[in-house]
Amino acid sequence: MHLCPTFLLLLLRWVRLHLWVRRWRCSNGNNSRLPTCAQRRWAYLRVMVRSLYYNSLTSSDVIMDSLMEPIFWVVDVLTRWFGPVSVFVCLVVVLTSSILLIAYVGLLPMVLSTYSPPWIAWHIGYGHWNLVMIIFHYYKAIRTAPGYPPKVKNEVPFVSVCKKCIIPKPARTHHCGICNACVLKMDHHCPWLNNCVGHFNHRYFFCFCLFLTLGCAYCSISGRNLFLDAYSAIERFKHTDLEKSGIPVTGMGLLIGILTPGQSTYQTPPPTYTFRDKMFHKSIIYMWVLTSTVAVALGGLTIWHAVLISRGETSIERHINNKETERNATRGKVYKNPFNYGRLNNWKVFLGVEKRSHWLTRVLLPSGHAPYGNGLTWDIYPIRKDMMPV
């Protein structure tokens, strides 16, 4: 909707005219009539302003879209200004690379020298499998187009016509204001991918979120003791530095007073900590805090999308189905999502599982197989019986 600029312009004109009318009445008396041209403009503006909210097509969603239009415009301009490579994509790459650098340079040598062979095999095997799944699905989610409806005349059934693209919109197709195009089975526009999430890359997006959550949870759980040790070491570094600089300390230091440089509460010289030791412990703290935060935040998003997939919905369709449910409830009817084939079948359609071996080759291993269908029609019923035994 692009009503916000027009609405603001009409509102500004209405306020100006209203203030002018009040000043004119005060100067000429309340009983004086306005000039004919002023009366016409006043009546025209009143009709225009009231037409924005006194009609059957306007709802709270239209008003919210109008109020949010400036924000959408700013996001659109910034996205186009950043170009094909988004700042958010670079941020994902930089943060992930920093965690990998800490893992390979700092943690891997320690694991190889201190852990038992079974634990070494587990960490190396699971860690690299998870890393491959993250990189593969993130790359595919960025590089795979979400899918767009044809712009030429065809026989594909459609449910409406896009008011911005002026082309027929098949079922589950929505217009993206940032991409400035209609997207098949659009879920949302993801700035972290700099791409829309639609029919052909929805699986890549969800698997990326899932495996990144698992990877961050793995780093957070396995590195908890290292984080505690690193935090304690950093605290020891601080106390050692304070004692060396002559700052009052607790215990024996209170009896002596302020320690002079070179003095210490230790009978033997305190252990020396190199710059490398300090950077190692700070890197462990950085890795644990970052992975724990991402695991919690992204884990919630992943669970939400898993619920939507189980219901056969997208993020946009969730709102549409809620409204249709409420509308039908007022009429004593029950609304049923036409794209819901049951929880298990919804996952099979989403993941492209057609036989038992696909749970390994298409889910647990990197797979670039295309989703079922072309995104234009959604007649899943012919394969429903074949997919049930899987």
Side-chain angles (χ1 to χ4, degrees):
M1 299 295 295
H2 293 278
L3 297 177
C4 189
T6 306
F7 177 77
L8 294 178
L9 181 61
L10 292 175
L11 183 62
L12 181 61
R13 291 181 178 178
W14 185 83
V15 171
R16 287 180 178 177
L17 184 58
H18 182 68
L19 294 176
W20 181 82
V21 169
R22 291 189 63 181
R23 289 197 300 267
W24 189 86
R25 285 182 175 179
C26 292
S27 60
N28 296 278
N30 292 332
N31 296 328
S32 302
R33 298 187 60 184
L34 293 174
T36 305
C37 60
Q39 292 181 5
R40 291 178 179 176
R41 291 183 178 179
W42 177 260
Y44 175 74
L45 286 176
R46 289 182 65 183
V47 172
M48 290 295 294
V49 171
R50 289 184 176 182
S51 66
L52 296 176
Y53 53 91
Y54 284 110
N55 61 79
S56 59
L57 299 178
T58 304
S59 62
S60 59
D61 293 334
V62 175
I63 296 175
M64 289 302 300
D65 289 343
S66 301
L67 296 177
M68 295 295 290
E69 186 68 23
I71 300 178
F72 297 152
W73 180 82
V74 171
V75 173
D76 188 6
V77 171
L78 291 178
T79 303
R80 294 178 181 178
W81 181 70
F82 286 138
V85 180
S86 172
V87 174
F88 296 101
V89 175
C90 296
L91 185 61
V92 172
V93 174
V94 170
L95 293 179
T96 306
S97 301
S98 65
I99 298 300
L100 293 177
L101 181 64
I102 296 172
Y104 280 105
V105 176
L107 297 181
L108 185 59
M110 184 182 64
V111 169
L112 295 176
S113 60
T114 59
Y115 283 32
S116 61
W119 278 111
I120 293 176
W122 156 254
H123 285 292
I124 293 180
Y126 176 81
H128 284 86
W129 169 78
N130 204 337
L131 177 61
V132 169
M133 298 296 286
I134 292 174
I135 295 176
F136 172 79
H137 288 103
Y138 188 63
Y139 176 79
K140 295 292 288 185
I142 293 176
R143 300 295 298 175
T144 304
Y148 308 100
K151 297 182 179 181
V152 297
K153 186 177 180 180
N154 56 82
E155 302 298 330
V156 176
F158 61 93
V159 296
S160 62
V161 176
C162 181
K163 298 180 180 178
K164 297 181 181 180
C165 298
I166 317 298
I167 60 173
K169 289 172 50 177
R172 313 187 80 175
T173 300
H174 302 279
H175 185 87
C176 176
I178 298 178
C179 296
N180 196 25
C182 288
V183 178
L184 300 177
K185 191 195 167 186
M186 179 180 174
D187 189 271
H188 68 287
H189 184 92
C190 182
W192 299 101
L193 302 178
N194 195 30
N195 194 9
C196 261
V197 177
H199 175 64
F200 290 100
N201 64 349
H202 193 181
R203 179 178 66 89
Y204 298 130
F205 164 77
F206 176 78
C207 290
F208 163 70
C209 294
L210 175 62
F211 288 110
L212 184 59
T213 301
L214 294 177
C216 291
Y218 162 73
C219 293
S220 178
I221 295 173
S222 62
R224 178 179 177 274
N225 293 332
L226 292 176
F227 165 75
L228 296 177
D229 295 340
Y231 185 81
S232 301
I234 293 295
E235 292 297 321
R236 289 197 301 270
F237 297 160
K238 293 180 180 179
H239 288 299
T240 302
D241 294 338
L242 291 177
E243 292 174 0
K244 289 182 178 180
S245 60
I247 302 299
V249 295
T250 59
M252 195 64 182
L254 292 177
L255 301 178
I256 300 176
I258 299 178
L259 298 177
T260 59
Q263 291 180 328
S264 173
T265 58
Y266 295 98
Q267 293 182 354
T268 59
T272 57
Y273 296 101
T274 63
F275 175 77
R276 181 178 179 180
D277 295 332
K278 294 182 180 181
M279 290 303 299
F280 173 76
H281 292 297
K282 291 181 179 179
S283 299
I284 295 299
I285 295 175
Y286 161 78
M287 182 188 70
W288 191 86
V289 172
L290 179 60
T291 55
S292 300
T293 304
V294 174
V296 173
L298 190 60
L301 178 65
T302 304
I303 293 175
W304 167 246
H305 278 280
V307 172
L308 294 179
I309 295 170
S310 300
R311 297 173 177 175
E313 299 174 327
T314 62
S315 299
I316 298 177
E317 292 172 352
R318 176 62 177 169
H319 301 285
I320 297 176
N321 292 339
N322 287 340
K323 293 179 182 178
E324 289 296 321
T325 301
E326 296 176 358
R327 186 175 66 87
N328 283 270
T330 57
R331 301 179 180 180
K333 300 180 180 179
V334 178
Y335 174 76
K336 183 179 180 180
N337 179 17
F339 309 111
N340 185 3
Y341 310 109
R343 293 183 180 179
L344 183 59
N345 282 335
N346 288 335
W347 280 103
K348 291 175 182 177
V349 171
F350 178 78
L351 297 174
V353 175
E354 299 177 359
K355 52 184 180 180
R356 289 185 175 88
S357 61
H358 287 168
W359 290 106
L360 174 63
T361 58
R362 293 187 173 185
V363 178
L364 298 181
L365 293 177
S367 176
H369 66 278
Y372 177 83
N374 54 11
L376 301 174
T377 58
W378 297 95
D379 187 12
I380 312 292
Y381 289 102
I383 69 168
R384 191 171 186 178
K385 295 182 179 179
D386 297 334
M387 298 184 69
M388 286 298 291
V390 178

